Short mmCIF file of all heavy atoms in Angstrom, two decimals:
data_model
loop_
_atom_site.label_atom_id
_atom_site.label_comp_id
_atom_site.label_asym_id
_atom_site.label_seq_id
_atom_site.Cartn_x
_atom_site.Cartn_y
_atom_site.Cartn_z
N ALA A 239 -51.73 -7.51 -7.68
CA ALA A 239 -50.43 -7.42 -6.89
C ALA A 239 -50.06 -5.96 -6.88
O ALA A 239 -49.50 -5.46 -5.81
CB ALA A 239 -49.34 -8.24 -7.59
N SER A 240 -50.18 -5.17 -7.99
CA SER A 240 -49.67 -3.81 -8.04
C SER A 240 -50.28 -2.88 -6.97
O SER A 240 -49.55 -2.25 -6.18
CB SER A 240 -49.81 -3.30 -9.41
OG SER A 240 -49.66 -1.83 -9.45
N PRO A 241 -51.59 -2.72 -6.83
CA PRO A 241 -52.13 -1.78 -5.85
C PRO A 241 -51.83 -2.36 -4.44
O PRO A 241 -51.64 -1.62 -3.51
CB PRO A 241 -53.65 -1.84 -6.15
CG PRO A 241 -53.94 -2.94 -7.00
CD PRO A 241 -52.64 -3.20 -7.78
N LEU A 242 -51.80 -3.63 -4.30
CA LEU A 242 -51.47 -4.16 -3.00
C LEU A 242 -50.04 -3.72 -2.54
O LEU A 242 -49.87 -3.31 -1.25
CB LEU A 242 -51.55 -5.72 -2.85
CG LEU A 242 -52.97 -6.36 -2.88
CD1 LEU A 242 -52.84 -7.82 -2.86
CD2 LEU A 242 -53.72 -5.93 -1.56
N ARG A 243 -49.13 -3.90 -3.34
CA ARG A 243 -47.80 -3.46 -3.08
C ARG A 243 -47.75 -1.88 -2.69
O ARG A 243 -47.13 -1.68 -1.62
CB ARG A 243 -46.96 -3.62 -4.29
CG ARG A 243 -45.40 -3.60 -3.94
CD ARG A 243 -44.49 -3.97 -5.12
NE ARG A 243 -44.51 -5.39 -5.41
CZ ARG A 243 -44.90 -5.93 -6.57
NH1 ARG A 243 -45.38 -5.17 -7.54
NH2 ARG A 243 -44.81 -7.24 -6.75
N LYS A 244 -48.47 -1.15 -3.38
CA LYS A 244 -48.55 0.39 -3.13
C LYS A 244 -49.11 0.57 -1.84
O LYS A 244 -48.64 1.26 -0.97
CB LYS A 244 -49.38 0.92 -4.27
CG LYS A 244 -49.36 2.46 -4.22
CD LYS A 244 -48.33 3.06 -4.90
CE LYS A 244 -48.34 4.55 -4.91
NZ LYS A 244 -47.16 5.17 -5.28
N LEU A 245 -50.36 -0.15 -1.54
CA LEU A 245 -51.04 0.06 -0.30
C LEU A 245 -50.12 -0.31 0.94
O LEU A 245 -49.99 0.45 1.89
CB LEU A 245 -52.28 -0.78 -0.29
CG LEU A 245 -53.11 -0.89 0.94
CD1 LEU A 245 -53.73 0.58 1.22
CD2 LEU A 245 -54.25 -1.81 0.85
N PHE A 246 -49.38 -1.53 0.81
CA PHE A 246 -48.56 -1.87 1.90
C PHE A 246 -47.37 -0.93 2.16
O PHE A 246 -47.05 -0.53 3.30
CB PHE A 246 -47.95 -3.23 1.61
CG PHE A 246 -48.93 -4.44 1.93
CD1 PHE A 246 -50.05 -4.60 1.25
CD2 PHE A 246 -48.72 -5.19 3.12
CE1 PHE A 246 -50.88 -5.65 1.61
CE2 PHE A 246 -49.54 -6.17 3.53
CZ PHE A 246 -50.79 -6.39 2.76
N GLU A 247 -46.87 -0.45 1.07
CA GLU A 247 -45.75 0.59 1.26
C GLU A 247 -46.15 1.79 1.84
O GLU A 247 -45.55 2.45 2.73
CB GLU A 247 -45.12 0.84 -0.17
CG GLU A 247 -44.23 -0.29 -0.58
CD GLU A 247 -43.85 -0.35 -2.03
OE1 GLU A 247 -44.21 0.65 -2.72
OE2 GLU A 247 -43.14 -1.19 -2.49
N GLU A 248 -47.39 2.35 1.50
CA GLU A 248 -47.95 3.55 2.04
C GLU A 248 -48.38 3.49 3.47
O GLU A 248 -48.52 4.40 4.19
CB GLU A 248 -49.19 3.99 1.17
CG GLU A 248 -48.75 4.27 -0.29
CD GLU A 248 -49.36 5.48 -0.82
OE1 GLU A 248 -50.37 6.00 -0.28
OE2 GLU A 248 -48.70 6.13 -1.79
N THR A 249 -48.65 2.23 4.05
CA THR A 249 -48.99 2.18 5.38
C THR A 249 -47.89 1.50 6.22
O THR A 249 -48.14 1.07 7.42
CB THR A 249 -50.30 1.25 5.44
OG1 THR A 249 -50.02 0.08 4.68
CG2 THR A 249 -51.39 2.01 4.92
N GLY A 250 -46.65 1.61 5.84
CA GLY A 250 -45.48 1.27 6.66
C GLY A 250 -45.16 -0.21 6.70
O GLY A 250 -44.50 -0.76 7.58
N PHE A 251 -45.55 -1.00 5.69
CA PHE A 251 -45.22 -2.31 5.53
C PHE A 251 -44.36 -2.60 4.42
O PHE A 251 -44.34 -1.81 3.42
CB PHE A 251 -46.48 -3.20 5.37
CG PHE A 251 -47.34 -3.21 6.56
CD1 PHE A 251 -48.47 -2.48 6.64
CD2 PHE A 251 -46.98 -4.05 7.70
CE1 PHE A 251 -49.33 -2.45 7.73
CE2 PHE A 251 -47.90 -4.07 8.79
CZ PHE A 251 -49.01 -3.36 8.75
N GLU A 252 -43.55 -3.72 4.42
CA GLU A 252 -42.67 -4.14 3.27
C GLU A 252 -43.13 -5.48 2.90
O GLU A 252 -42.88 -6.41 3.57
CB GLU A 252 -41.23 -4.11 3.81
CG GLU A 252 -40.20 -4.58 2.96
CD GLU A 252 -38.91 -4.87 3.62
OE1 GLU A 252 -38.82 -4.60 4.91
OE2 GLU A 252 -37.93 -5.20 2.96
N PRO A 253 -43.68 -5.62 1.67
CA PRO A 253 -44.04 -6.98 1.16
C PRO A 253 -42.76 -7.83 0.99
O PRO A 253 -41.80 -7.34 0.43
CB PRO A 253 -44.71 -6.70 -0.12
CG PRO A 253 -45.05 -5.26 -0.10
CD PRO A 253 -44.03 -4.63 0.64
N ILE A 254 -42.84 -8.97 1.57
CA ILE A 254 -41.57 -9.88 1.35
C ILE A 254 -41.90 -11.06 0.42
O ILE A 254 -41.08 -11.66 -0.09
CB ILE A 254 -40.99 -10.33 2.71
CG1 ILE A 254 -42.07 -11.05 3.50
CG2 ILE A 254 -40.29 -9.15 3.38
CD1 ILE A 254 -41.43 -11.63 4.81
N ARG A 255 -43.17 -11.31 0.21
CA ARG A 255 -43.53 -12.37 -0.77
C ARG A 255 -44.98 -12.07 -1.33
O ARG A 255 -45.87 -11.76 -0.55
CB ARG A 255 -43.45 -13.74 -0.14
CG ARG A 255 -43.61 -14.86 -1.08
CD ARG A 255 -43.41 -16.22 -0.42
NE ARG A 255 -43.80 -17.26 -1.48
CZ ARG A 255 -44.17 -18.42 -1.24
NH1 ARG A 255 -44.19 -18.93 0.04
NH2 ARG A 255 -44.38 -19.32 -2.22
N ILE A 256 -45.10 -12.23 -2.61
CA ILE A 256 -46.53 -12.10 -3.20
C ILE A 256 -46.74 -13.29 -3.92
O ILE A 256 -46.02 -13.77 -4.76
CB ILE A 256 -46.64 -10.90 -4.07
CG1 ILE A 256 -46.30 -9.56 -3.21
CG2 ILE A 256 -47.99 -10.75 -4.72
CD1 ILE A 256 -46.45 -8.34 -4.01
N MET A 257 -47.84 -13.98 -3.68
CA MET A 257 -48.16 -15.31 -4.29
C MET A 257 -49.57 -15.14 -5.05
O MET A 257 -50.46 -14.51 -4.67
CB MET A 257 -48.50 -16.40 -3.27
CG MET A 257 -47.39 -17.13 -2.78
SD MET A 257 -47.69 -18.46 -1.55
CE MET A 257 -49.48 -18.52 -1.25
N GLU A 258 -49.63 -15.64 -6.34
CA GLU A 258 -50.88 -15.73 -6.99
C GLU A 258 -51.01 -16.95 -7.71
O GLU A 258 -50.88 -17.02 -8.95
CB GLU A 258 -51.10 -14.43 -7.88
CG GLU A 258 -49.95 -13.96 -8.66
CD GLU A 258 -50.28 -12.78 -9.58
OE1 GLU A 258 -51.41 -12.82 -10.29
OE2 GLU A 258 -49.58 -11.83 -9.65
N HIS A 259 -51.25 -18.01 -6.96
CA HIS A 259 -51.35 -19.35 -7.57
C HIS A 259 -52.68 -19.36 -8.39
O HIS A 259 -53.48 -18.64 -8.18
CB HIS A 259 -51.44 -20.47 -6.52
CG HIS A 259 -50.14 -20.52 -5.66
ND1 HIS A 259 -48.98 -20.36 -6.28
CD2 HIS A 259 -50.06 -20.68 -4.38
CE1 HIS A 259 -48.06 -20.49 -5.21
NE2 HIS A 259 -48.64 -20.58 -4.16
N LEU A 260 -52.75 -20.36 -9.27
CA LEU A 260 -53.97 -20.42 -10.15
C LEU A 260 -55.14 -20.89 -9.43
O LEU A 260 -56.27 -20.65 -9.94
CB LEU A 260 -53.56 -21.37 -11.41
CG LEU A 260 -54.64 -21.37 -12.48
CD1 LEU A 260 -54.76 -19.95 -13.10
CD2 LEU A 260 -54.40 -22.46 -13.46
N MET A 261 -55.00 -21.48 -8.33
CA MET A 261 -56.13 -21.96 -7.48
C MET A 261 -56.98 -22.90 -8.19
O MET A 261 -58.22 -22.70 -8.36
CB MET A 261 -56.93 -20.61 -7.03
CG MET A 261 -56.15 -19.76 -6.09
SD MET A 261 -55.86 -20.60 -4.49
CE MET A 261 -57.46 -20.58 -3.73
N VAL A 262 -56.37 -23.92 -8.82
CA VAL A 262 -57.19 -25.00 -9.37
C VAL A 262 -58.02 -25.55 -8.16
O VAL A 262 -59.13 -26.10 -8.29
CB VAL A 262 -56.27 -26.14 -9.93
CG1 VAL A 262 -57.02 -27.26 -10.35
CG2 VAL A 262 -55.49 -25.49 -11.13
N SER A 263 -57.37 -25.44 -7.00
CA SER A 263 -57.96 -25.91 -5.77
C SER A 263 -59.26 -25.27 -5.47
O SER A 263 -60.21 -25.81 -4.79
CB SER A 263 -57.01 -25.83 -4.58
OG SER A 263 -56.57 -24.48 -4.53
N TYR A 264 -59.43 -23.93 -5.95
CA TYR A 264 -60.72 -23.26 -5.65
C TYR A 264 -61.77 -23.90 -6.45
O TYR A 264 -62.92 -24.10 -5.99
CB TYR A 264 -60.49 -21.74 -6.14
CG TYR A 264 -61.58 -20.95 -5.82
CD1 TYR A 264 -61.79 -20.35 -4.69
CD2 TYR A 264 -62.59 -20.60 -6.84
CE1 TYR A 264 -62.85 -19.51 -4.39
CE2 TYR A 264 -63.66 -19.81 -6.57
CZ TYR A 264 -63.80 -19.25 -5.38
OH TYR A 264 -64.87 -18.40 -5.14
N GLY A 265 -61.57 -24.23 -7.70
CA GLY A 265 -62.53 -24.95 -8.55
C GLY A 265 -62.88 -26.25 -7.89
O GLY A 265 -64.14 -26.69 -7.94
N ALA A 266 -61.90 -27.02 -7.46
CA ALA A 266 -62.12 -28.26 -6.80
C ALA A 266 -63.04 -28.15 -5.56
O ALA A 266 -63.91 -29.00 -5.39
CB ALA A 266 -60.71 -28.92 -6.40
N ARG A 267 -62.83 -26.96 -4.82
CA ARG A 267 -63.65 -26.83 -3.63
C ARG A 267 -65.10 -26.65 -4.00
O ARG A 267 -65.96 -27.10 -3.29
CB ARG A 267 -63.08 -25.62 -2.92
CG ARG A 267 -63.83 -25.09 -1.61
CD ARG A 267 -63.28 -23.79 -1.11
NE ARG A 267 -63.92 -23.49 0.10
CZ ARG A 267 -65.07 -22.91 0.23
NH1 ARG A 267 -65.82 -22.67 -0.81
NH2 ARG A 267 -65.57 -22.65 1.47
N ARG A 268 -65.38 -25.99 -5.06
CA ARG A 268 -66.73 -25.70 -5.50
C ARG A 268 -67.42 -27.03 -5.85
O ARG A 268 -68.62 -27.21 -5.49
CB ARG A 268 -66.82 -24.68 -6.69
CG ARG A 268 -66.41 -23.27 -6.29
CD ARG A 268 -66.68 -22.41 -7.42
NE ARG A 268 -68.08 -22.29 -7.69
CZ ARG A 268 -68.86 -21.26 -7.39
NH1 ARG A 268 -68.27 -20.17 -6.87
NH2 ARG A 268 -70.17 -21.21 -7.71
N ILE A 269 -66.64 -27.86 -6.63
CA ILE A 269 -67.20 -29.15 -6.91
C ILE A 269 -67.49 -29.92 -5.69
O ILE A 269 -68.62 -30.50 -5.56
CB ILE A 269 -66.18 -29.99 -7.98
CG1 ILE A 269 -66.12 -29.23 -9.15
CG2 ILE A 269 -66.70 -31.31 -8.18
CD1 ILE A 269 -64.87 -29.52 -10.13
N PHE A 270 -66.53 -29.97 -4.81
CA PHE A 270 -66.63 -30.63 -3.55
C PHE A 270 -67.83 -30.23 -2.76
O PHE A 270 -68.70 -30.98 -2.29
CB PHE A 270 -65.36 -30.44 -2.80
CG PHE A 270 -65.09 -31.19 -1.62
CD1 PHE A 270 -65.55 -32.64 -1.52
CD2 PHE A 270 -64.49 -30.81 -0.49
CE1 PHE A 270 -65.24 -33.45 -0.55
CE2 PHE A 270 -64.30 -31.61 0.74
CZ PHE A 270 -64.69 -32.90 0.70
N ASN A 271 -68.04 -28.96 -2.72
CA ASN A 271 -69.13 -28.27 -1.95
C ASN A 271 -70.46 -28.73 -2.56
O ASN A 271 -71.40 -28.99 -1.85
CB ASN A 271 -69.04 -26.79 -2.07
CG ASN A 271 -69.74 -26.05 -1.02
OD1 ASN A 271 -70.29 -26.59 -0.19
ND2 ASN A 271 -69.54 -24.73 -1.02
N HIS A 272 -70.56 -28.94 -3.89
CA HIS A 272 -71.76 -29.25 -4.47
C HIS A 272 -72.13 -30.70 -4.23
O HIS A 272 -73.23 -31.10 -4.07
CB HIS A 272 -71.48 -29.01 -6.00
CG HIS A 272 -72.71 -28.99 -6.84
ND1 HIS A 272 -73.66 -28.05 -6.79
CD2 HIS A 272 -73.13 -29.96 -7.80
CE1 HIS A 272 -74.71 -28.33 -7.61
NE2 HIS A 272 -74.35 -29.53 -8.18
N LEU A 273 -71.05 -31.61 -4.21
CA LEU A 273 -71.25 -33.08 -4.24
C LEU A 273 -71.52 -33.63 -2.81
O LEU A 273 -72.26 -34.56 -2.73
CB LEU A 273 -70.04 -33.77 -4.81
CG LEU A 273 -69.82 -33.61 -6.24
CD1 LEU A 273 -68.57 -34.41 -6.65
CD2 LEU A 273 -71.05 -34.16 -7.09
N ASN A 274 -70.92 -33.03 -1.72
CA ASN A 274 -70.78 -33.83 -0.57
C ASN A 274 -71.76 -33.44 0.54
O ASN A 274 -71.42 -33.95 1.72
CB ASN A 274 -69.31 -33.86 -0.11
CG ASN A 274 -68.97 -32.48 0.70
OD1 ASN A 274 -69.75 -31.59 0.66
ND2 ASN A 274 -67.94 -32.59 1.37
N PRO A 275 -72.57 -32.47 0.56
CA PRO A 275 -73.39 -32.15 1.81
C PRO A 275 -74.01 -33.38 2.63
O PRO A 275 -74.10 -33.27 3.77
CB PRO A 275 -74.53 -31.18 1.23
CG PRO A 275 -73.99 -30.74 -0.03
CD PRO A 275 -73.18 -31.78 -0.62
N LYS A 276 -74.27 -34.47 1.84
CA LYS A 276 -74.91 -35.61 2.56
C LYS A 276 -73.99 -36.58 3.01
O LYS A 276 -74.28 -37.61 3.65
CB LYS A 276 -76.05 -36.24 1.68
CG LYS A 276 -77.06 -35.21 1.43
CD LYS A 276 -78.28 -35.94 0.82
CE LYS A 276 -79.40 -35.08 0.40
NZ LYS A 276 -79.24 -34.53 -0.97
N TRP A 277 -72.58 -36.42 2.75
CA TRP A 277 -71.64 -37.33 3.13
C TRP A 277 -71.26 -37.34 4.53
O TRP A 277 -71.51 -36.27 5.21
CB TRP A 277 -70.29 -37.20 2.38
CG TRP A 277 -70.32 -37.24 0.92
CD1 TRP A 277 -71.42 -37.90 0.18
CD2 TRP A 277 -69.39 -37.02 -0.09
NE1 TRP A 277 -71.18 -37.94 -1.20
CE2 TRP A 277 -69.92 -37.38 -1.37
CE3 TRP A 277 -68.07 -36.44 0.00
CZ2 TRP A 277 -69.25 -37.26 -2.52
CZ3 TRP A 277 -67.36 -36.40 -1.25
CH2 TRP A 277 -67.94 -36.68 -2.46
N SER A 278 -70.89 -38.52 5.04
CA SER A 278 -70.49 -38.48 6.58
C SER A 278 -69.15 -37.79 6.67
O SER A 278 -68.47 -37.62 5.79
CB SER A 278 -70.38 -39.96 6.94
OG SER A 278 -69.29 -40.62 6.30
N ILE A 279 -68.79 -37.46 7.94
CA ILE A 279 -67.62 -36.76 8.33
C ILE A 279 -66.32 -37.64 7.72
O ILE A 279 -65.50 -37.09 7.11
CB ILE A 279 -67.46 -36.41 9.79
CG1 ILE A 279 -68.56 -35.38 10.15
CG2 ILE A 279 -66.13 -35.89 10.16
CD1 ILE A 279 -68.36 -34.01 9.56
N PRO A 280 -66.32 -39.03 8.09
CA PRO A 280 -65.25 -39.71 7.54
C PRO A 280 -65.03 -39.70 6.10
O PRO A 280 -63.92 -39.61 5.51
CB PRO A 280 -65.44 -41.17 8.13
CG PRO A 280 -66.36 -40.99 9.27
CD PRO A 280 -67.18 -39.82 8.93
N THR A 281 -66.18 -39.72 5.38
CA THR A 281 -66.15 -39.76 3.93
C THR A 281 -65.63 -38.33 3.45
O THR A 281 -64.82 -38.33 2.48
CB THR A 281 -67.57 -39.92 3.30
OG1 THR A 281 -68.08 -41.04 3.88
CG2 THR A 281 -67.39 -40.20 1.77
#
Side-chain angles (χ1 to χ4, degrees):
S240 164
L242 281 176
R243 196 176 283 118
K244 184 89 181 168
L245 177 64
F246 277 72
E247 282 163 3
E248 298 225 334
T249 49
F251 293 99
E252 174 191 3
I254 53 173
R255 187 173 174 204
I256 299 183
M257 275 184 359
E258 40 177 315
H259 299 320
L260 189 63
M261 297 292 287
V262 176
S263 49
Y264 184 86
R267 180 186 186 276
R268 287 189 69 107
I269 295 167
F270 192 36
N271 203 357
H272 192 71
L273 290 178
N274 83 344
K276 295 192 184 89
W277 294 352
S278 67
I279 294 289
T281 314

